[in-house]
Amino acid sequence: MTFYRKGKHLILLFVCAVLLTAIPAHAKTKSVKVYKGTPAKYVFLFIGDGMGIPQRAAAEAFLGKQLVMNSFPSQGMTTTYAADRFITGSAAAGTAIASGQKTNIGMLGMTPRQKDVKSIAEVARDKGMKVGIVSSVSIDHATPAAFYAHVPTRGQYYDIDVALSQSNFDFFAGGGLKDPSNKKDNSKNFKGNALNLIKDAGYKVVTDKKDFMALKPSDGKVVAWNAWLQDAKALPYVMDMRPQDITLPEFTQKAIEMLDNSKGFFLMVEGGKIDWACHANDAAAFIRNTVSFDDSIAKAVAFAKKHPSETLIVITGDHECGGLTLGFAGTKYGSYYDALNPQDVSFQKFTDEVVKLWKSEHKGDVNFDDIKPTITNYFGLKFEGDYKKDPMVVKPYQLAMLKDAYVRTMKDDKCKTPELYNMYGGYDPLTTTITHVLDNNAGLGWTSFKHTGVPIATSAMGLGSTSFNGYYDNTDIALKIMSVMGVSPRVYSRNEHIKIAAK
């Protein structure tokens, strides 16, 4: 801003600045156009957590063919800011997408003044539709919780788990529960073990894949999660999964089978570990999870082809994560995404299993040459050859980075200083440096270990999908879906009666 030092110009600019700061960040400037067609009977909402446009483009380039989500006829751009911060978090963004309400960072299902608002999932339930919530992270994590919980702090996992038991939704699946017994002791209203409350509410709890795949609609309400929850009660990264693990596409397909009924359904599916992989700057992990997320979308598209005049599918992201760039200075204009193929474990598994074992067996040994074969085995990086011709060959400056990171790993550096955090983001130094070297040589760059504020892509197909073209805010996603569902598009208080829009 240019400041004038004299007279009325300074006063005028000061008044304008005061007026601008007085305008709430969440003030809406327009209303959503009401959909006039037949209400959708089947509504799918897919949220790729941390999935910005670069993530979609990189996954598509790696795959070598168009992603299903990128083939949708309607494509829009969506802003993501929270009520109190430009760069949003999953709780604030999830609430905006779920209810049309901007809120503060960390809040779920409520206004900044802590007034509960109704989600589109709750709207669907109140219309008589069945409701399903699926996520690759814990089912009480911020994004899924935004559709059924109302708490001021996303870390109130026990209260969120209790809210799940009281939701009367029909199907929850994916990751597990983070604090069903209130071990964090952050609830003021303890009602007993939340898992018991869930069972008492009539939910069948399933964790075995064979039992899960055998589920039938006659089994009633279900809460299901994978037997192996790799980190923070989440599904394993796709590249770490075993044959006995339940994949996100399998959870999605089973949700469709369980929810299909004469009154229709609403299903939200989150690809949560796209975000987690991007936080750690692991391109191979986020790409494979994005592809799995896209395979889940394909299940909905297959269903929509059987019900073309009754279905709406919407794909979005809550924010971008990692500041991913499709290009790296070291490769100039070159892109070598095939270089990511040799990596066969995520950063999480390499850190939890390989690095942990290595440190226990090589205490005090900081000879980097010893671990070179291990790096080559898991990531495909080479320490001999012509790096000018082969992107898998480590460059001299990268070798120095890897050696330094290895020493820090072996010394258990916690990376809490600003300098080290900027280098490693709080993750294991060696693992982070390996993925940085590999990703850079593939032609990908990272600028952050956190979320960014760039707009993301929103895609749609089916009934009312054309309303998702254009440039709009993430709150508009909920309002547009409400309208296509036959509900007046606005923010509803939690206990407010839903008005069915006239057709």
Side-chain angles (χ1 to χ4, degrees):
M1 180 181 290
T2 301
F3 289 92
Y4 294 88
R5 295 184 179 276
K6 294 182 179 180
K8 62 183 180 181
H9 296 296
L10 178 58
I11 295 172
L12 179 61
L13 283 175
F14 176 76
V15 171
C16 289
V18 170
L19 289 173
L20 284 171
T21 55
I23 298 172
H26 57 284
K28 294 187 70 63
T29 58
K30 61 182 178 64
S31 60
V32 170
K33 184 178 179 181
V34 175
Y35 169 72
K36 299 295 185 180
T38 303
K41 181 178 179 180
Y42 307 107
V43 178
F44 294 85
L45 174 58
F46 289 85
I47 302 176
D49 200 313
M51 187 184 73
I53 295 174
Q55 282 78 8
R56 290 170 68 153
E60 186 165 278
F62 175 84
L63 201 60
K65 64 179 182 179
Q66 188 177 39
L67 293 174
V68 173
M69 69 180 95
N70 290 344
S71 71
F72 279 24
S74 297
Q75 300 284 345
M77 292 283 290
T78 308
T79 52
T80 65
Y81 59 89
D84 61 342
R85 197 174 74 191
F86 178 62
I87 297 178
T88 196
S90 292
T95 297
I97 296 169
S99 66
Q101 173 67 53
K102 285 288 185 188
T103 197
N104 294 339
I105 295 299
M107 289 185 170
L108 283 169
M110 56 176 50
T111 71
R113 294 186 177 183
Q114 298 190 22
K115 301 297 183 182
D116 293 354
V117 292
K118 187 169 289 189
S119 74
I120 47 179
E122 292 170 319
V123 168
R125 175 199 62 197
D126 294 348
K127 277 173 53 63
M129 301 166 72
K130 287 192 174 183
V131 176
I133 305 293
V134 174
S135 177
S136 60
V137 296
S138 68
I139 204 65
D140 51 12
H141 215 255
T143 302
F147 289 83
Y148 63 87
H150 308 270
V151 292
T153 305
R154 60 179 288 181
Q156 295 174 239
Y157 292 111
Y158 172 78
D159 293 324
I160 294 171
D161 294 343
V162 171
L164 186 155
S165 73
Q166 298 172 342
S167 68
N168 202 29
F169 290 0
D170 301 274
F171 187 87
F172 290 94
L177 306 173
K178 293 196 71 172
D179 192 15
S181 60
N182 195 33
K183 288 183 179 179
K184 291 183 68 174
D185 194 28
N186 62 1
S187 174
K188 296 179 181 179
N189 189 25
F190 184 72
K191 298 182 178 182
N193 188 287
L195 183 56
N196 292 334
L197 296 177
I198 289 168
K199 293 176 180 177
D200 291 343
Y203 288 93
K204 182 175 184 177
V205 178
V206 180
T207 61
D208 177 76
K209 183 172 185 176
K210 183 178 179 181
D211 292 341
F212 175 78
M213 299 305 286
L215 285 171
K216 302 295 182 185
S218 58
D219 288 312
K221 297 187 295 183
V222 169
V223 174
W225 60 78
N226 191 54
W228 175 36
L229 299 175
Q230 184 179 35
D231 50 341
K233 301 300 181 179
L235 295 183
Y237 285 94
V238 170
M239 61 202 306
D240 299 334
M241 280 189 159
R242 313 158 303 176
Q244 63 266 39
D245 292 316
I246 310 170
T247 67
L248 191 64
E250 288 171 335
F251 277 121
T252 303
Q253 180 60 50
K254 182 57 66 174
I256 294 171
E257 295 172 10
M258 297 292 287
L259 297 174
D260 192 9
N261 74 105
S262 61
K263 293 184 178 181
F265 63 77
F266 171 86
L267 173 61
M268 191 288 294
V269 179
E270 182 203 19
K273 298 202 81 169
I274 299 170
D275 177 69
W276 293 16
C278 289
H279 273 294
N281 292 178
D282 186 340
F286 96 70
I287 285 175
R288 287 182 171 87
N289 273 76
T290 303
V291 172
S292 178
F293 179 67
D294 198 59
D295 290 341
S296 303
I297 295 168
K299 302 295 185 182
V301 172
F303 178 87
K305 288 180 179 179
K306 298 177 182 177
H307 307 272
S309 62
E310 300 176 295
T311 306
L312 168 67
I313 306 175
V314 179
I315 319 297
T316 194
D318 52 358
H319 50 72
E320 194 276 339
C321 184
L324 177 67
T325 62
L326 307 184
F328 176 68
T331 59
K332 298 181 179 179
Y333 292 101
S335 298
Y336 311 100
Y337 291 178
D338 285 349
L340 301 174
N341 275 317
Q343 181 181 338
D344 59 7
V345 294
S346 71
F347 76 94
Q348 191 72 53
K349 186 171 184 177
F350 187 75
T351 301
D352 290 350
E353 299 181 16
V354 180
V355 172
K356 182 179 180 180
L357 179 62
W358 183 273
K359 288 169 69 173
S360 69
E361 294 179 347
H362 296 77
K363 292 180 180 179
D365 182 2
V366 292
N367 182 4
F368 181 74
D369 288 340
D370 293 342
I371 201 169
K372 284 181 179 179
T374 299
I375 295 173
T376 300
N377 180 58
Y378 287 102
F379 295 89
L381 289 172
K382 303 174 184 176
F383 295 92
E384 295 181 357
D386 188 347
Y387 62 81
K388 295 180 180 179
K389 295 181 180 180
D390 186 351
M392 301 308 299
V393 178
V394 172
K395 300 174 178 62
Y397 81 90
Q398 293 173 332
L399 180 60
M401 290 166 51
L402 288 165
K403 286 182 176 180
D404 180 70
Y406 178 65
V407 171
R408 294 188 186 281
T409 288
M410 296 303 286
K411 290 183 177 180
D412 285 324
D413 275 359
K414 301 303 180 184
C415 306
K416 291 185 177 181
T417 65
E419 178 188 1
L420 292 181
Y421 181 84
N422 289 338
M423 293 173 65
Y424 309 120
Y427 296 92
D428 172 62
L430 178 61
T431 309
T432 303
T433 305
I434 292 171
T435 58
H436 277 175
V437 169
L438 182 61
D439 298 352
N440 290 168
N441 289 0
L444 295 168
W446 299 95
T447 64
S448 176
F449 292 97
K450 297 295 185 181
H451 305 166
T452 66
V454 298
I456 53 88
T458 296
S459 312
M461 67 168 285
L463 290 183
S465 60
T466 56
S467 66
F468 291 88
N469 286 320
Y471 189 82
Y472 46 89
D473 187 57
N474 57 3
T475 52
D476 291 329
I477 294 173
L479 304 182
K480 291 173 187 289
I481 291 176
M482 285 182 194
S483 188
V484 179
M485 286 171 59
V487 175
S488 298
R490 63 179 180 84
V491 177
Y492 290 87
S493 64
R494 184 180 179 186
N495 298 315
E496 184 178 357
H497 175 69
I498 300 297
K499 297 177 181 178
I500 306 301
K503 296 298 174 186

